[in-house]
């Protein structure tokens, strides 16, 4: 965990932090998802900026969506609950989420925790533990053993600024420097045609998290 400066995998953490801070100073806005409204007929409607929800779509508390959200703790006092994550910066919020322990270990190993926590506004496409388990062990071990490659892969999952669900569809420049593509609408989205958002629009103190069922690899 989003004018923006193109960052490369070889950039230092200081450069990454500076670029994110400059992006914020350039006028990035924290965009939040409007709450669903009820029309006179009782059908769920969204604000004009969101448009109609797709048939069968449903939003949970705070505008979250996806079957994976059921795995989040429901007790507001528990770490990893939506209430607790909303009060914490990105890396700290992820550390309490039971679905993201592998990602948090990778973030820590890459030395990106402080950067993610201090950045003003980011959107993080966060692979779940299950997503990492699908990566062949030899490949995962190779990435984890290479700090620069690990940083490149992780920052490819981060976009400067906050993306609301109605802004997801399209291409987005990542902190790594290359674009990722999101396709879909309502509550049904895929990233790079390979990973599905299983729990989306989770708010943190300085950004938004979309949990994925796959790990994204930056183009060669």
């Amino acid at each position: 965990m989003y004018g923006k400066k193109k960052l490369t995998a070889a950039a230092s953490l200081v450069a990454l932090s500076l670029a994110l801070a400059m992006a914020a100073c350039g006028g990035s806005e924290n965009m939040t998802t409007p709450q669903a409204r009820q029309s006179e007929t009782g059908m769920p409607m969204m604000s004009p900026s969101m448009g109609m929800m797709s048939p069968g779509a449903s939003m949970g508390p705070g505008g979250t969506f996806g079957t994976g959200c059921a795995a989040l703790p429901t007790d507001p006092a528990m770490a990893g609950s939506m209430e607790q994550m909303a009060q914490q910066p990105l890396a700290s919020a992820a550390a309490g989420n039971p679905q993201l322990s592998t990602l948090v270990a990778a973030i820590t190993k890459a030395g990106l925790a402080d950067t993610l926590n201090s950045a003003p506004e980011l959107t993080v496409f966060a692979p779940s533990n299950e997503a990492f388990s699908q990566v062949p062990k030899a490949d995962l071990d190779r990435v984890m053993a290479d700090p620069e490659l690990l940083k490149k892969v992780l920052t490819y999952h981060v976009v400067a600024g906050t993306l609301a669900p109605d802004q997801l569809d399209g291409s987005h420049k990542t902190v790594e420097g290359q674009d990722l593509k999101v396709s879909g609408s309502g509550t049904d989205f895929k990233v790079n045609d390979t990973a599905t958002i299983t729990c989306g629009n989770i708010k943190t103190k300085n950004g938004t998290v979309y949990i994925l069922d796959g790990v994204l690899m930056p183009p060669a």
Side-chain angles (χ1 to χ4, degrees), residues 30 71 162 183:
N30 184 12
T162 302
S183 57

Side-chain angles (χ1 to χ4, degrees), residues 8 10 15 29 39 61 68-69 79 83 100 123 129 137 157 165 167 188 214 218:
T8 66
E29 293 185 354
S39 71
C69 295
E83 292 81 0
L100 302 177
T123 296
N129 294 341
K137 186 177 184 303
H157 291 75
Q167 298 172 304
D188 184 13

Side-chain angles (χ1 to χ4, degrees), residues 92-174:
S92 298
N97 189 302
Q99 301 183 60
L100 302 177
S101 59
T102 304
L103 175 63
V104 170
I107 288 172
T108 302
K109 190 174 184 65
L112 291 173
D114 289 343
T115 300
L116 292 175
N117 278 342
S118 61
E121 296 177 2
L122 298 174
T123 296
V124 176
F125 294 91
S128 66
N129 294 341
E130 182 178 356
F132 277 103
S133 72
Q134 297 172 15
V135 178
K137 186 177 184 303
D139 293 340
L140 184 58
D141 289 346
R142 177 175 61 86
V143 174
M144 294 291 284
D146 185 334
E148 291 303 322
L149 178 58
L150 179 59
K151 190 184 302 182
K152 180 180 178 71
V153 171
L154 291 176
T155 54
Y156 184 66
H157 291 75
V158 182
V159 173
T162 302
L163 295 175
D166 65 321
Q167 298 172 304
L168 288 173
D169 188 57
S171 294
H172 306 281
K173 184 171 294 296
T174 68

Side-chain angles (χ1 to χ4, degrees), residues 1 65 68-69 97 99-100 103 123-134 153-154 156-159 168 180-183 188-202 209-217:
M1 59 89 140
F65 63 88
C69 295
N97 189 302
Q99 301 183 60
L100 302 177
L103 175 63
T123 296
V124 176
F125 294 91
S128 66
N129 294 341
E130 182 178 356
F132 277 103
S133 72
Q134 297 172 15
V153 171
L154 291 176
Y156 184 66
H157 291 75
V158 182
V159 173
L168 288 173
L180 58 75
K181 179 183 177 182
V182 182
S183 57
D188 184 13
F189 295 95
K190 292 190 82 67
V191 183
N192 287 355
D193 296 322
T194 59
T196 298
I197 295 176
T198 59
C199 183
N201 203 31
I202 303 172
V209 175
Y210 292 91
I211 298 178
L212 303 180
D213 66 358
V215 177
L216 307 176
M217 294 302 295

